[in-house]
Amino acid sequence: MREVAVLGIGITKWGELWEKSLRDIYVETALLALDDAGVDHIDSMYVGSMSSGIFVGQEHIASLLADYLGQAPVPSTRVETACASGGLALRLGFIEVASGMNDVVLVGGVEKMTDVSGNEATYALGTAADQEYEGYHGITFPGLYALIARAHMEKYGTTREQLAMVAVKNHCNGSKNPLAQFPFEITVDSVLNSVMVADPLRILDCSPITDGAAALVICPVEMVRKMNKPVIKIIGTGQATDTIALSSRKDLTWLEATYQAAKEAYAMAQNKPEDMDLIEVHDCFTIAEICVLEALGIVERGKGGEAAEQGLTSLEGKIPVNTSGGLKAKGHPVGATGTAQVVEIVKQLRGEAGERQINNPRIGMAQNMGGSGGSSVVHIFERE
Amino acid sequence: MREVAVLGIGITKWGELWEKSLRDIYVETALLALDDAGVDHIDSMYVGSMSSGIFVGQEHIASLLADYLGQAPVPSTRVETACASGGLALRLGFIEVASGMNDVVLVGGVEKMTDVSGNEATYALGTAADQEYEGYHGITFPGLYALIARAHMEKYGTTREQLAMVAVKNHCNGSKNPLAQFPFEITVDSVLNSVMVADPLRILDCSPITDGAAALVICPVEMVRKMNKPVIKIIGTGQATDTIALSSRKDLTWLEATYQAAKEAYAMAQNKPEDMDLIEVHDCFTIAEICVLEALGIVERGKGGEAAEQGLTSLEGKIPVNTSGGLKAKGHPVGATGTAQVVEIVKQLRGEAGERQINNPRIGMAQNMGGSGGSSVVHIFERE
């Protein structure tokens, strides 16, 4: 297989984008990525979207977006694995370039979530859980992650305050990211006094509903070298599944799909958790970041709660996590999140992260997750 | 890239499967494919589904189906490009095996379409068109294809009877396929006197609403040889897009995405239309088969209407088309159709097609299409 690199990145301001439709949001972002890459031609494209069908009544967005980007007749593929759709789009693009089938592939993710009324967004997100065995009984995602949080607190003594500190850290990072949906700091007190959603999770433990997109142009490493651009290699990719229903797991606190995906990515990259200079993780809820850090092997099992508290994962910490603000502060347009994580890693590895730039990172990882952990996609990147 | 072959196939009786849920239908079919392949392990899986979100309120089926098939933690990916989702699943599986990333990949498609009420199925299918510029104005798929049919009749003199003959031929083939949803013959008269749906298309010009799945196991050619099984190689793959909206096309009668996808597949396979011994095409409406045959280069532009009339595409014709019964008689569970087309080609190439077996075919093609032709996937197969 050929070596693959990220040549261009694109992302725009996220939030409630009522003036823009799904196609506008995507095309704007994709054009930025093509411009950043310095190419005017692509060989194919992949787009991740969790539920454009329910959110905006539009399936077949692979054709729609290729058309509106002015790129038809190139092959265009929509992939979906709930909130891990954006990371999955990168993996499939990676395989296509690595195989030699095509050279320049546009990889993106998009979701338009705010054009709904009542509880439609909660319903749409709920379709990532097992509808017959979980959704039917009325549980929604805050409820599922609340069960995980309660189990983690019981088993490992994780505290309510530790959960809050994850949100505080990510908002601190997000306050330095002008494209974030909520670019401001919050305090532990404000988290602890925010509205209860599903005990013990409060509203400031939850990532928001967001409209947004992100895009990448990937190609063979050789091509980047010839263009004299910074070489950000994709050195590892991993993807795995777990039981979709939380009730089928042996241990509610353990994210097996993330563990397996990371294992595959570490093996391919020939490195280990200690080699990472920064990580973007899927903090759809504060407890998720805690469990993910354990599954990735960044901290020991049960020690995830201490990471934010002790400053390990802060911008100045040993291993900065979610320098972008994470899903919590940056926003969580579900199908775009996995691609946006990679945009942040590339910005940091290139030294283009502005106020939140960390000191000379060389290796970064992005971990993206679907449902209550039923699927996960992990990528590792290295600056040459 | 490595050479890839189809090792196993699985398909079950299609129809209104009220006793089975989406997961049941898929798992039953996938187990048949694994059994036929003679493997008890897969490295990864791809599943095509157009709109499990709208049809049964379930996204994230990649995780759901890996779980219920007992295959977690293998990587599992759902792909969607409307009614071409099943063909697309094969293309991505092909790229993965060809790349060397994985060896044994399960490729499938599934749709559960009858668990809806009122006009929900029509709404769900309509999400394959441009919702903002087509759906908003009230047009549905029979209406879009009726526009294509009318244009073809005006431009090329195609007759109402020629459209009917496509349905008659496909039902004749379907009458020999016990797994078809409608395994019986019809006459030109019955088509011409059936209920009008969208002038000039009548109900017997339209493929039905169907529950069903199909699955394939693919792997490197070398592995099939070692197992002493028939070697059915995938020698060509092509994928392309066109404008999603019909109104943006220069010529309503021309399927550019199918033309482009076929061009890519022919080039990879190093063969041409005349080399095909049989073809499965996407006859979602009778007019679709006519236009597809022209785009594939099987007949000259404008001559598609004569193909069925003159017997060119019948079971005994020069180039049998839709020996399975096609979408018309076999049924059209939208996400499964593209995979099922390949199941039929493999059965024919192996000589296992029973009553509808054609004489010693060596090369076959499957053409799958999304929306009103906004995307298309084409594959070519050869028996060694």
Side-chain angles (χ1 to χ4, degrees):
Chain A
M1 301 205 305
R2 300 192 293 182
E3 286 191 308
V4 184
V6 180
L7 179 63
I9 55 175
I11 193 164
T12 45
K13 174 76 179 173
W14 285 4
E16 297 184 44
L17 308 178
W18 291 338
E19 310 78 18
K20 296 177 187 174
S21 73
L22 182 142
R23 75 186 82 194
D24 299 328
I25 297 170
Y26 172 83
V27 167
E28 195 180 343
T29 311
L31 289 175
L32 285 177
L34 292 172
D35 193 47
D36 184 55
V39 297
D40 57 6
H41 163 82
I42 59 171
D43 294 322
S44 82
M45 52 187 273
Y46 287 87
V47 58
S49 177
M50 178 189 154
S51 194
S52 59
I54 299 177
F55 280 119
V56 296
Q58 181 72 64
E59 308 281 11
H60 207 194
I61 62 169
S63 170
L64 180 88
L65 300 178
D67 182 10
Y68 276 82
L69 190 59
Q71 291 290 345
V74 301
S76 179
T77 298
R78 177 218 173 174
V79 298
E80 182 265 320
T81 185
C83 302
S85 303
L88 184 59
L90 174 59
R91 178 173 162 94
L92 298 190
F94 169 87
I95 296 173
E96 184 163 322
V97 176
S99 77
M101 184 108 178
N102 275 309
D103 287 336
V104 183
V105 176
L106 175 65
V107 167
V110 63
E111 211 82 52
K112 173 73 175 163
M113 301 172 74
T114 65
D115 277 355
V116 294
S117 55
N119 63 357
E120 276 175 28
T122 302
Y123 168 75
L125 292 169
T127 62
D130 188 321
Q131 280 297 288
E132 290 169 1
Y133 295 122
E134 294 181 308
Y136 178 80
H137 299 284
I139 199 160
T140 58
F141 271 93
L144 288 166
Y145 276 93
L147 290 170
I148 296 176
R150 190 56 77 192
H152 207 278
M153 292 164 88
E154 283 292 323
K155 186 166 181 179
Y156 297 117
T158 301
T159 66
R160 192 34 279 208
E161 287 71 19
Q162 288 172 337
L163 293 171
M165 288 169 195
V166 173
V168 169
K169 166 185 71 74
N170 290 346
H171 268 274
C172 175
N173 296 349
S175 73
K176 304 179 202 306
N177 181 357
L179 300 180
Q181 180 171 15
F182 297 123
F184 50 76
E185 297 196 41
I186 58 172
T187 65
V188 169
D189 264 5
S190 61
V191 180
L192 297 184
N193 291 304
S194 65
V195 171
M196 183 67 83
V197 178
D199 191 10
L201 300 180
R202 293 172 180 268
I203 192 80
L204 288 181
D205 288 292
C206 310
S207 57
I209 302 289
T210 312
D211 301 328
L216 309 165
V217 175
I218 63 172
C219 67
V221 164
E222 279 313 314
M223 186 175 152
V224 188
R225 286 205 188 102
K226 276 186 199 151
M227 291 174 79
N228 280 321
K229 296 219 170 199
V231 178
I232 310 292
K233 283 190 208 171
I234 304 168
I235 57 172
T237 177
Q239 180 193 359
T241 50
D242 193 1
T243 68
I244 186 168
L246 203 55
S247 57
S248 310
R249 310 247 171 99
K250 284 181 197 150
D251 181 347
L252 294 194
T253 67
W254 182 245
L255 295 168
E256 180 70 14
T258 291
Y259 169 74
Q260 293 284 353
K263 196 168 113 176
E264 184 191 352
Y266 286 135
M268 182 184 286
Q270 296 184 288
N271 56 25
K272 43 194 187 313
E274 305 86 270
D275 297 327
M276 301 299 123
D277 293 322
L278 81 157
I279 312 182
E280 290 282 303
V281 306
H282 197 91
D283 61 318
C284 48
F285 297 90
T286 47
I287 182 63
E289 175 164 324
I290 289 172
C291 295
V292 168
L293 291 176
E294 297 174 14
L296 294 178
I298 299 299
V299 297
E300 279 177 50
R301 238 165 132 149
K303 300 289 186 190
E306 296 171 12
E309 187 176 31
Q310 297 175 349
L312 176 75
T313 52
S314 74
L315 222 44
E316 303 76 24
K318 194 174 155 207
I319 170 72
V321 171
N322 284 333
T323 60
S324 67
L327 285 54
K328 179 67 202 79
K330 187 178 51 188
H332 183 25
V334 287
T337 281
T339 316
Q341 292 177 320
V342 179
V343 169
E344 177 69 11
I345 297 288
V346 172
K347 279 187 184 176
Q348 290 280 358
L349 295 181
R350 283 184 184 171
E352 297 174 354
E355 255 198 281
R356 63 187 189 282
Q357 179 64 49
I358 64 170
N359 185 29
N360 197 28
R362 201 174 60 84
I363 298 182
M365 173 188 256
Q367 178 272 343
N368 190 200
M369 190 158 75
S372 53
S375 52
S376 187
V377 183
V378 170
H379 284 97
I380 303 176
F381 305 86
E382 183 176 28
R383 176 172 48 81
E384 197 173 64
Chain B
M1 302 205 304
R2 299 193 292 182
E3 286 191 307
V4 184
V6 180
L7 179 63
I9 54 175
I11 193 163
T12 45
K13 174 77 178 172
W14 285 4
E16 296 186 43
L17 309 177
W18 291 338
E19 311 76 19
K20 297 177 187 174
S21 72
L22 182 142
R23 75 186 81 196
D24 298 328
I25 297 170
Y26 172 83
V27 167
E28 195 180 344
T29 310
L31 289 174
L32 285 178
L34 292 172
D35 193 46
D36 183 56
V39 297
D40 58 5
H41 163 82
I42 58 172
D43 294 322
S44 82
M45 53 188 272
Y46 287 87
V47 59
S49 178
M50 177 188 156
S51 194
S52 58
I54 299 177
F55 280 119
V56 295
Q58 180 74 64
E59 306 282 10
H60 207 194
I61 62 168
S63 170
L64 180 88
L65 299 178
D67 182 10
Y68 276 83
L69 189 59
Q71 290 291 344
V74 300
S76 178
T77 297
R78 176 218 172 173
V79 298
E80 183 264 319
T81 186
C83 303
S85 302
L88 184 58
L90 174 59
R91 178 173 162 93
L92 298 190
F94 169 86
I95 296 172
E96 184 163 321
V97 175
S99 78
M101 185 107 177
N102 275 309
D103 288 336
V104 184
V105 176
L106 175 65
V107 167
V110 63
E111 211 83 52
K112 172 74 174 162
M113 302 173 74
T114 66
D115 278 355
V116 293
S117 54
N119 62 357
E120 276 175 28
T122 303
Y123 169 75
L125 292 169
T127 63
D130 188 320
Q131 280 297 287
E132 291 168 1
Y133 295 124
E134 294 182 309
Y136 178 79
H137 299 284
I139 201 161
T140 58
F141 271 93
L144 289 166
Y145 276 93
L147 290 171
I148 296 176
R150 190 56 77 192
H152 207 278
M153 292 164 88
E154 283 292 324
K155 187 167 180 178
Y156 297 117
T158 300
T159 66
R160 191 37 278 208
E161 287 71 20
Q162 288 173 338
L163 292 171
M165 287 169 195
V166 173
V168 170
K169 166 184 71 73
N170 290 346
H171 268 275
C172 175
N173 296 349
S175 73
K176 304 178 201 305
N177 181 356
L179 300 180
Q181 181 172 11
F182 297 123
F184 51 74
E185 297 196 42
I186 58 173
T187 65
V188 169
D189 264 3
S190 61
V191 180
L192 297 184
N193 292 305
S194 65
V195 171
M196 182 67 81
V197 177
D199 191 10
L201 300 179
R202 294 173 180 268
I203 192 80
L204 288 181
D205 288 293
C206 310
S207 58
I209 302 290
T210 312
D211 301 329
L216 309 165
V217 175
I218 62 172
C219 68
V221 163
E222 279 313 314
M223 187 175 152
V224 188
R225 288 208 187 100
K226 275 187 199 148
M227 291 174 81
N228 280 321
K229 296 218 171 198
V231 178
I232 311 291
K233 282 190 207 172
I234 304 168
I235 58 172
T237 176
Q239 181 192 359
T241 49
D242 193 359
T243 69
I244 185 170
L246 203 55
S247 57
S248 310
R249 309 247 171 100
K250 284 181 197 150
D251 180 347
L252 294 194
T253 68
W254 183 245
L255 295 169
E256 180 70 15
T258 291
Y259 168 75
Q260 293 285 351
K263 196 169 111 176
E264 183 191 352
Y266 286 134
M268 182 184 285
Q270 296 185 287
N271 56 26
K272 43 194 187 313
E274 305 85 271
D275 297 327
M276 300 300 122
D277 294 322
L278 80 158
I279 311 181
E280 290 282 304
V281 305
H282 196 91
D283 60 320
C284 48
F285 297 92
T286 47
I287 182 63
E289 176 165 323
I290 289 172
C291 295
V292 168
L293 292 176
E294 297 175 14
L296 294 178
I298 299 299
V299 296
E300 278 177 50
R301 238 166 133 150
K303 300 289 186 190
E306 297 171 14
E309 188 177 29
Q310 298 176 348
L312 176 76
T313 51
S314 73
L315 222 44
E316 303 76 23
K318 194 174 156 210
I319 171 73
V321 171
N322 285 332
T323 59
S324 67
L327 286 54
K328 179 68 203 79
K330 188 178 52 189
H332 184 26
V334 287
T337 281
T339 317
Q341 291 177 321
V342 179
V343 169
E344 177 69 10
I345 297 288
V346 172
K347 279 188 184 176
Q348 290 280 0
L349 295 181
R350 283 185 184 170
E352 297 174 355
E355 254 197 283
R356 63 188 189 283
Q357 179 66 48
I358 63 170
N359 185 29
N360 197 29
R362 199 173 62 83
I363 298 182
M365 174 188 257
Q367 178 271 345
N368 191 200
M369 190 158 74
S372 53
S375 53
S376 186
V377 183
V378 170
H379 284 96
I380 304 176
F381 305 86
E382 183 177 29
R383 176 171 48 81
E384 199 173 62

